[in-house]
């Protein structure tokens, strides 16, 4: 099994900070979604909240993981591998993958708008099993993520065609950026610059999601419907 | 003239608005007449609204009546936030 991914040493601190930021944005989306669920009692919104919560936790772990290594690394490029690294690093890496894919599977389930626990079980189980049974865990993790992200982006685009809401199109754009980021991360196994580019795509995606979230809160958060 | 099909959240809003406009309590026939739904669909939605605690079913003088709850009123007040958030994330 080859290197998991390569990161330029100068980028390690930025990477930790960016992942912390992604974590904050996804936690904020999860919190607002939970608030909307409390008012609307819509199950798919609860699933959306849970999905973003899992993704937020995965980013927080990733940030913590890299934060610990800042200042302890020498050389221009760091080669992260599942072999030859401390156990705690491997454990947090596996947890990061499980939480991220779990979050994406939960969001995918929310978009299906069904009340079938067995479908969720199948979706989550298959996604995790494919990764766990692979010899190229990192690449398989990214491919599964790409597949789920492409489904969510396609679903958002279909919803945009129905509602013609520009915010839906922006969310679709954010998931497309995350999809491209996942492709770049596969190349990060050979090129360290690919990792930096991937993180910049993710930054674009979460900036878009944050803007949409803030627009929703500021415009409709405290507004009450006028009495009829 | 072509009309856009209402989605679930809009139907729920329409039913709750009908109840709220009639002093908060109405007969099912009034909901059927005002909400523009089939009887089967109306029954399905009323069941969902009871489960979500947006309305309560009461028997008054041998007749079924539905009353809107505080939770139902809160749904109407925050309707725009709910729909905009749901539509943004493709859950409309």
């Amino acid at each position: 099994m080859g290197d998991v991914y390569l990161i330029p040493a100068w980028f390690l601190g930025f990477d930790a900070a960016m992942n912390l930021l992604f974590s904050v944005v996804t936690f904020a989306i999860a919190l607002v979604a939970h608030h909307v669920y409390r008012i609307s009692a819509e199950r798919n919104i609860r699933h959306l909240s849970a999905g973003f919560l899992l993704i937020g936790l995965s980013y927080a772990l990733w940030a913590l993981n890299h934060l610990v290594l800042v200042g302890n690394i020498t050389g221009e490029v760091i080669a992260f591998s599942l072999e030859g690294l401390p156990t705690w690093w491997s454990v947090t890496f596996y947890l990061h993958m499980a939480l991220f894919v779990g979050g994406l599977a939960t969001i995918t389930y929310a978009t299906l708008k069904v009340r079938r626990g067995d479908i969720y079980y199948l979706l989550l189980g298959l996604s995790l099993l494919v990764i766990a049974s692979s010899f190229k865990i990192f690449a398989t993790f990214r491919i599964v993520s790409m597949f789920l992200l492409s489904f969510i982006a396609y679903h958002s685009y279909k919803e945009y065609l129905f509602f013609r809401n520009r915010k839906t199109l922006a969310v679709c754009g954010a998931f497309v950026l995350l999809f491209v980021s996942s492709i770049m991360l596969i190349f990060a196994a050979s090129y360290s610059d690919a990792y930096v580019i991937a993180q910049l795509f993710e930054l674009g995606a979460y900036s878009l999601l944050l803007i949409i979230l803030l627009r929703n809160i500021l415009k409709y958060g405290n507004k009450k419907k006028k009495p009829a | 003239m072509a009309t856009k099909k209402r989605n679930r959240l809009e139907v729920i809003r329409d039913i709750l608005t009908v109840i709220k406009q009639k002093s908060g309590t109405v007969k099912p026939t009034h909901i059927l007449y005002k909400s523009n739904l089939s009887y089967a669909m109306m029954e399905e939605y009323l069941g969902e609204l009871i489960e979500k605690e947006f309305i309560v079913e009461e028997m008054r003088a041998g007749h079924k009546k539905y009353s809107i709850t505080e939770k139902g009123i809160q749904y109407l007040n925050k309707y725009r936030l709910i729909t905009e958030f749901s539509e943004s994330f493709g859950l409309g």
Side-chain angles (χ1 to χ4, degrees):
Chain A
M1 195 159 34
D3 287 325
V4 171
Y5 59 90
L6 306 171
I7 301 184
W10 63 267
F11 189 66
L12 199 61
F14 290 111
D15 182 54
M18 280 165 92
N19 276 285
L20 265 183
L21 181 73
F22 303 158
S23 169
V24 169
V25 174
T26 44
F27 280 143
I29 296 170
L31 197 69
V32 174
H34 183 71
H35 173 68
V36 173
Y37 164 69
R38 289 278 302 267
I39 308 164
S40 66
E42 290 288 320
R43 280 169 190 265
N44 49 12
I45 296 176
R46 184 176 67 176
H47 297 137
L48 184 84
S49 171
F52 274 106
L53 180 70
L54 292 174
I55 292 174
L57 285 171
S58 83
Y59 279 122
L61 264 180
W62 195 248
L64 188 75
N65 186 305
H66 284 188
L67 209 57
V68 173
L69 296 174
V70 176
N72 297 324
I73 297 287
T74 52
E76 285 188 9
V77 173
I78 308 156
F80 285 96
S81 166
L82 286 173
E83 293 159 354
L85 273 165
T87 312
W88 64 264
W89 194 91
S90 299
V91 169
T92 51
F93 185 80
Y94 284 121
L95 262 176
H96 161 77
M97 284 195 295
L99 289 168
F100 192 81
V101 168
L104 285 183
T106 310
I107 294 172
T108 305
Y109 176 68
T111 64
L112 296 176
K113 298 174 190 172
V114 290
R115 284 178 70 173
R116 293 277 303 270
D118 49 353
I119 291 179
Y120 179 63
Y121 175 76
L122 201 65
L123 197 61
L124 183 65
L126 280 176
S127 304
L128 294 175
L129 276 174
V130 165
I131 298 167
S133 58
S134 169
F135 288 110
K136 292 267 185 189
I137 284 185
F138 181 71
T140 312
F141 161 55
R142 286 300 161 197
I143 290 165
V144 170
S145 302
M146 277 162 55
F147 184 73
L148 293 173
L149 284 165
S150 66
F151 180 86
I152 299 167
Y154 170 69
H155 171 82
S156 299
Y157 184 67
K158 271 201 321 185
E159 290 283 307
Y160 164 71
L161 292 179
F162 184 79
F163 289 109
R164 293 283 165 187
N165 187 332
R166 279 190 294 180
K167 280 183 258 181
T168 318
L169 189 63
V171 168
C172 171
F175 281 107
V176 169
L177 287 175
L178 289 175
F179 171 78
V180 176
S181 166
S182 280
I183 296 174
M184 295 307 297
L185 283 169
I186 291 177
F187 290 108
S190 309
Y191 308 101
S192 61
D193 290 343
Y195 187 90
V196 179
I197 297 167
Q199 292 303 88
L200 292 177
F201 273 110
E202 282 198 56
L203 185 64
Y206 287 109
S207 301
L208 259 177
L209 289 176
L210 183 64
I211 290 166
I212 295 154
L213 185 73
L214 290 176
R215 278 181 68 107
N216 276 333
I217 296 170
L218 297 174
K219 204 167 176 189
Y220 307 108
N222 292 316
K223 196 177 272 185
K224 287 193 172 183
K225 191 188 161 206
K226 284 178 190 166
Chain B
M1 192 176 71
T3 51
K4 196 180 152 213
K5 196 180 162 201
R6 287 180 297 173
N7 66 25
R8 271 188 63 257
L9 297 176
E10 285 172 325
V11 174
I12 290 172
R13 177 203 58 191
D14 291 347
I15 294 172
L16 292 175
T17 306
V18 166
I19 302 173
K20 194 184 166 197
Q21 280 174 343
K22 271 276 183 180
S23 316
T25 304
V26 290
K27 289 178 185 171
T29 47
H30 189 77
I31 299 172
L32 190 64
Y33 168 64
K34 287 278 185 182
S35 64
N36 203 17
L37 290 168
S38 67
Y39 182 77
M41 287 299 286
M42 182 196 73
E43 284 283 296
E44 199 178 302
Y45 273 106
L46 289 178
E48 184 182 335
L49 293 181
I50 291 168
E51 189 188 312
K52 288 180 170 179
E53 298 173 357
F54 288 170
I55 60 171
V56 285
E57 190 183 84
E58 296 162 311
M59 289 298 284
R60 289 189 196 169
H63 295 287
K64 256 190 206 174
K65 288 212 167 186
Y66 294 97
S67 304
I68 192 165
T69 63
E70 267 305 308
K71 219 173 159 182
I73 290 168
Q74 201 190 8
Y75 178 94
L76 287 176
N77 288 337
K78 296 273 185 179
Y79 175 72
R80 287 304 299 272
L81 174 68
I82 297 165
T83 50
E84 282 296 322
F85 186 84
S86 303
E87 281 180 22
S88 297
F89 286 91
L91 305 176

